[in-house]
Amino acid sequence: MEPRSKSIEIGLNAAIVAVEKLEPLILVTTRDEAGAGDARDALPFGPFNPLAHRTLEMGLRSWVGEQAALELGHVEQLYTFGDRGRHASPGDEGPHVVSIGYLALSRIRENTRATIAGYRAEWRPWYGYFPWEDWRDGRPEILGDVIMPLLHDWAGETPGPAERRLALPRAVRLKLAFGEDTSHWDEERVLDRYELLYEAGLVEEALRDGRAAALDRGEAPRLGRPMQFDHRRILATAISRLRGKLKYRPVVFELMHDAFTLTELQNTVEAISGRHLHKQNFRRLVEKAALVEPTGAVAAATGGRPAALYRFRREILEERPAPGLRVGARH
Amino acid sequence: MEPRSKSIEIGLNAAIVAVEKLEPLILVTTRDEAGAGDARDALPFGPFNPLAHRTLEMGLRSWVGEQAALELGHVEQLYTFGDRGRHASPGDEGPHVVSIGYLALSRIRENTRATIAGYRAEWRPWYGYFPWEDWRDGRPEILGDVIMPLLHDWAGETPGPAERRLALPRAVRLKLAFGEDTSHWDEERVLDRYELLYEAGLVEEALRDGRAAALDRGEAPRLGRPMQFDHRRILATAISRLRGKLKYRPVVFELMHDAFTLTELQNTVEAISGRHLHKQNFRRLVEKAALVEPTGAVAAATGGRPAALYRFRREILEERPAPGLRVGARH
DNA sequence: TCAAAAGTGTTATCCTTACACCCATGT
DNA sequence: ACATGGGTGTAAGGATAACACTTTTGA
């Protein structure tokens, strides 16, 4: 192994989001091997070739279009992940891969291709990876039963010298990310929470990366469905960003059909933000924001009074600087 | 030239910010050649070597520390810029450079080294690069006199087919970025504004990158001080981000001395956000946010009643989820 | 006629904005 | 005494969060 240089490759990773039947889904690839128990979900990945594509985003759109037969709506760069060890497998050789994470929104289409670059591709609910993030039916029990007790144990331990120089002590970080009681949950801190769980050795990725802290803890649970490499970190970043963006950009509509009922819209927002919203306040918000207009038609009744159908008012983009659904604190 | 592969290098670019005497400054390097008229300011740049540093941020801190003898406070990744043509010089050879932009905050120290990697280093006011962003004394005249008329001309032209497929027409983008009348200025849209000026061919970088639109326009002004490559885009991103971050994180204090008067704090916030703030409202904001506490001492009078000195209350980090100075719309 | 979902009206509270005024010091 | 910047009290308006109730359909 040479001391000073190592070749670098750039990869583009996309967290492609769609919503269907009240569930936010993301597109993942899995190795479709029979007996292999260690097959893990991965985000679709494509190399960046500066000769073929003028910009990073164009490179991304192009291979997603080719390989998954998907057209993407809103696309935004999230973060560039370059930590050594992110592709850690014992005795790592080969080039260092720096990957640039992207968030992309899409409507589900039947004809999503079933394989991407030889891997099986499928849509999976994102809360499978982050069960503690779904508060739509109240606080998930796993938080009180499993997560918080273990994190409090972890916060009680004495950190190593490297960690002690960081700005905030463990207990404080815990309080900020997960809230104290059941009330101070900030749905945008998805990444903060995942990183604490990682540091505390409560997700499988931490064990795999060989963190000593994790090994100490005999039968620690492995929370949520794991992913390959650091893809769950990228996904956590994507969820954080999308939950925030909802509030000042009309991005939800990229996940809706052309016509929808207000309840469907509310359900979609709730699915993404992982919280239950107050019906009237949500409706007033939508109305005041002038984000939608009635189509005149009504939805085929789904077991009650038929609902009026609406469409997105594209003109809002020209009228207001930050058109979004500033969904508030509680309810 | 080979068709399919081109080697890629990763560079880290830092927009290092400090504030002194009411001016936000950034650290730039300049070629110190006698007659060379084309020497342009550049952001400090360092390569990323994954063998030497475990994470990107550690790599950045390390070479800034070594080369500029600066200790950085808050550091945050901004965006990864990889467009082909960003290092455009006619007949481009050599590796493609992808650069990861960072925002870093620092207090000015006398002993900032005078050269970085052989280039002269100095602190320069950031409004030199973006004169239209400084609204502290009201709307800058250059906006009404020069910028808006030229941008309106540009918005009136018929765009090419590639641009027409983009979401928003020129006139709408203009309105969103620069506001309609003097009142709807959103100080966070620094990057949007710079990119419009670039597309309209009103900054030197656009001419240099050989945009046809720019050449058409005979004696177009070259607004603001130019920078090398796409560094001014990185700086615009940094300013946007910092102006936004002020509002929900106590980052200003990284730019202040340990003890300061409330007026100094207000001046610093005004310098960064480029706006004049209402005195009482600012003070009430600071008080309600519980961000500071009196030291008990008073400042040596500077031509009036002596001011009480305050210090940052670090405890706030543990108390509130989003401690910042939510400076409001006007005033 | 009853369950299920759609849809509305109103009030208390807090936060933001703006106003106008008083205080302590140096010259 | 007066200029200069420091420092405060209070009222009007708007946005938010919560309340409970009516309407329209299908089974």
Side-chain angles (χ1 to χ4, degrees), chain A residues 140-198:
Chain A
E141 283 178 10
I142 197 175
L143 272 165
D145 296 349
V146 181
I147 297 180
M148 296 315 288
L150 286 166
L151 282 177
H152 277 120
D153 290 352
W154 170 80
E157 292 169 14
T158 314
E163 190 185 332
R164 228 170 301 147
R165 286 191 338 220
L166 285 176
L168 296 175
R170 288 181 176 182
V172 175
R173 295 172 60 205
L174 184 53
K175 184 171 141 191
L176 289 177
F178 284 86
E180 210 143 20
D181 38 63
T182 167
S183 73
H184 292 85
W185 183 263
D186 177 351
E187 81 272 7
E188 292 187 36
R189 301 200 176 225
V190 184
L191 180 63
D192 293 352
R193 288 187 281 266
Y194 176 72
E195 298 207 314
L196 280 183
L197 294 173
Y198 179 97

Side-chain angles (χ1 to χ4, degrees), chain A residues 278 280-281 284 288 301 304-306 328-329 331:
Chain A
H278 187 117
Q280 291 106 302
N281 291 345
R284 191 183 358 269
K288 207 190 45 180
R305 170 174 169 178
H331 266 248

Side-chain angles (χ1 to χ4, degrees), chain A:
Chain A
M1 220 189 264
E2 290 156 59
R4 275 222 42 91
S5 87
K6 182 165 182 175
S7 72
I8 293 188
E9 272 179 24
I10 295 212
L12 305 174
N13 277 103
I16 305 175
V17 179
V19 176
E20 199 171 65
K21 302 224 186 77
L22 308 187
E23 280 307 318
L25 305 171
I26 57 149
L27 189 65
V28 296
T29 60
T30 41
R31 234 178 286 248
D32 198 10
E33 297 165 48
D38 68 332
R40 285 201 199 81
D41 300 351
L43 294 178
F45 170 93
F48 173 59
N49 176 356
L51 290 182
H53 301 290
R54 200 163 50 77
T55 69
L56 295 167
E57 190 181 312
M58 284 166 69
L60 180 90
R61 283 183 188 273
S62 144
W63 65 253
V64 171
E66 279 167 29
Q67 305 212 318
L70 260 185
E71 255 189 67
L72 302 180
H74 175 83
V75 167
E76 102 182 55
Q77 195 189 97
L78 292 171
Y79 200 79
T80 298
F81 299 86
D83 295 6
R84 190 202 304 154
R86 57 178 301 277
H87 273 203
S89 38
D92 190 15
E93 299 289 328
H96 183 80
V97 178
V98 169
S99 70
I100 308 179
Y102 277 83
L103 164 66
L105 304 185
S106 160
R107 290 189 184 83
I108 293 228
R109 314 172 125 249
E110 290 306 321
N111 55 345
T112 306
R113 205 154 297 160
T115 59
I116 294 181
Y119 297 103
R120 199 177 63 194
E122 58 192 317
W123 293 97
R124 280 195 173 276
W126 80 22
Y127 291 119
Y129 304 96
F130 304 102
W132 54 89
E133 293 291 346
D134 188 357
W135 284 55
R136 283 176 290 175
D137 299 319
R139 188 181 201 230
E141 283 178 10
I142 197 175
L143 272 165
D145 296 349
V146 181
I147 297 180
M148 296 315 288
L150 286 166
L151 282 177
H152 277 120
D153 290 352
W154 170 80
E157 292 169 14
T158 314
E163 190 185 332
R164 228 170 301 147
R165 286 191 338 220
L166 285 176
L168 296 175
R170 288 181 176 182
V172 175
R173 295 172 60 205
L174 184 53
K175 184 171 141 191
L176 289 177
F178 284 86
E180 210 143 20
D181 38 63
T182 167
S183 73
H184 292 85
W185 183 263
D186 177 351
E187 81 272 7
E188 292 187 36
R189 301 200 176 225
V190 184
L191 180 63
D192 293 352
R193 288 187 281 266
Y194 176 72
E195 298 207 314
L196 280 183
L197 294 173
Y198 179 97
E199 285 184 53
L202 301 176
V203 294
E204 190 174 309
E205 286 88 337
L207 297 158
R208 193 193 59 208
D209 293 354
R211 293 182 62 87
L215 296 169
D216 291 349
R217 204 182 310 285
E219 66 309 314
R222 301 176 182 193
L223 298 165
R225 190 180 169 93
M227 294 185 98
Q228 224 169 19
F229 307 136
D230 57 356
H231 289 191
R232 217 151 140 214
R233 252 174 89 197
I234 300 179
L235 180 55
T237 311
I239 298 175
S240 294
R241 189 78 133 258
L242 182 54
R243 284 181 170 180
K245 202 110 195 182
L246 276 189
K247 293 172 186 158
Y248 58 96
R249 291 268 114 182
V251 282
V252 224
F253 302 103
E254 308 225 12
L255 300 167
M256 309 289 300
H257 295 120
D258 289 333
F260 47 82
T261 67
L262 291 184
T263 304
E264 282 166 356
L265 183 62
Q266 179 173 350
N267 285 336
T268 306
V269 173
E270 288 177 337
I272 293 168
S273 63
R275 293 189 342 197
H276 173 71
L277 300 174
H278 187 117
K279 187 171 55 156
Q280 291 106 302
N281 291 345
F282 180 80
R283 280 160 189 252
R284 191 183 358 269
L285 199 64
V286 170
E287 187 177 8
K288 207 190 45 180
L291 282 165
V292 300
E293 61 194 357
T295 66
V298 290
T302 53
R305 170 174 169 178
L309 284 170
Y310 292 82
R311 73 169 75 86
F312 175 48
R313 271 189 71 239
R314 306 204 113 265
E315 305 90 297
I316 195 65
L317 294 168
E318 318 184 7
E319 293 166 5
R320 271 181 223 263
L325 290 166
R326 295 198 128 280
V327 293
R330 223 167 320 293
H331 266 248

Side-chain angles (χ1 to χ4, degrees), chain B residues 3 23 163 165 197 243 251 307:
Chain B
E23 280 306 319
E163 190 185 331
R165 286 193 337 223
L197 293 173
R243 284 180 169 182
V251 283

Side-chain angles (χ1 to χ4, degrees), chain B residues 276-325:
Chain B
H276 173 70
L277 301 174
H278 188 118
K279 185 172 56 157
Q280 292 107 302
N281 291 345
F282 181 81
R283 280 159 189 254
R284 188 178 6 264
L285 199 64
V286 170
E287 186 176 7
K288 207 190 45 176
L291 282 164
V292 300
E293 61 194 357
T295 65
V298 289
T302 53
R305 170 175 169 177
L309 284 170
Y310 292 82
R311 73 169 75 87
F312 175 48
R313 272 189 70 237
R314 306 203 113 264
E315 305 90 298
I316 194 64
L317 294 168
E318 319 184 5
E319 293 166 5
R320 270 183 223 261
L325 291 166

